[in-house]
Amino acid sequence: ASLYAVLQEPERFDGLVLATPPTCYEDRRKFVPMYREFLGVARTRGLDEARQVAASKTRPPIFMESERGRAMFDVGWATKLSMGQDRYC
C-alpha cells in the first residue's frame, strides 16, 4: 500500500523504507532441522559447541550477504550465550 501511495502522489513523501520480512512457510521450514540440531548440541554439549556447529553450516542468506548480516549472526549467538543454556534450551 505504501509503494502504491508513493507512486500516486510522490510529492507527499520525503522517503520510503523498503524491508524484507523474515522467512516463513517453505523458506523457514527448510531451516528447521538445522535449528533442531543446534538445540540438541546446546542441550548435550553446551552453547559454545552449538555456536561452533552453527558457524560451520550454511546460514540463511540474510546472514551471509553482507558484513552486517554476518555480524548479526555473532550478535544473535552472543545473546544466546548471555541467556545461558537453561533459558535457551
Side-chain angles (χ1 to χ4, degrees):
S2 299
L3 186 56
Y4 181 76
V6 169
L7 292 171
Q8 293 301 309
E9 299 182 57
E11 67 282 351
R12 295 186 61 199
F13 295 86
D14 291 325
L16 183 65
V17 176
L18 300 177
T20 303
T23 59
C24 63
Y25 306 112
E26 293 304 318
D27 286 339
R28 173 67 93 187
R29 281 188 203 130
K30 67 184 172 187
F31 293 108
V32 168
M34 181 177 64
Y35 296 146
R36 287 188 174 148
E37 178 186 0
F38 301 156
L39 184 58
V41 171
R43 285 179 175 159
T44 59
R45 298 190 306 229
L47 287 173
D48 286 324
E49 184 74 21
R51 187 200 181 289
Q52 290 176 11
V53 170
S56 72
K57 302 283 184 178
T58 300
R59 300 177 205 165
I62 191 171
F63 294 121
M64 298 302 294
E65 294 171 349
S66 70
E67 191 61 40
R68 184 171 184 222
R70 289 185 288 277
M72 289 177 69
F73 173 82
D74 293 329
V75 168
W77 276 96
T79 301
K80 292 170 188 158
L81 291 168
S82 71
M83 289 188 322
Q85 185 168 338
D86 290 338
R87 185 161 176 214
Y88 177 70
C89 298

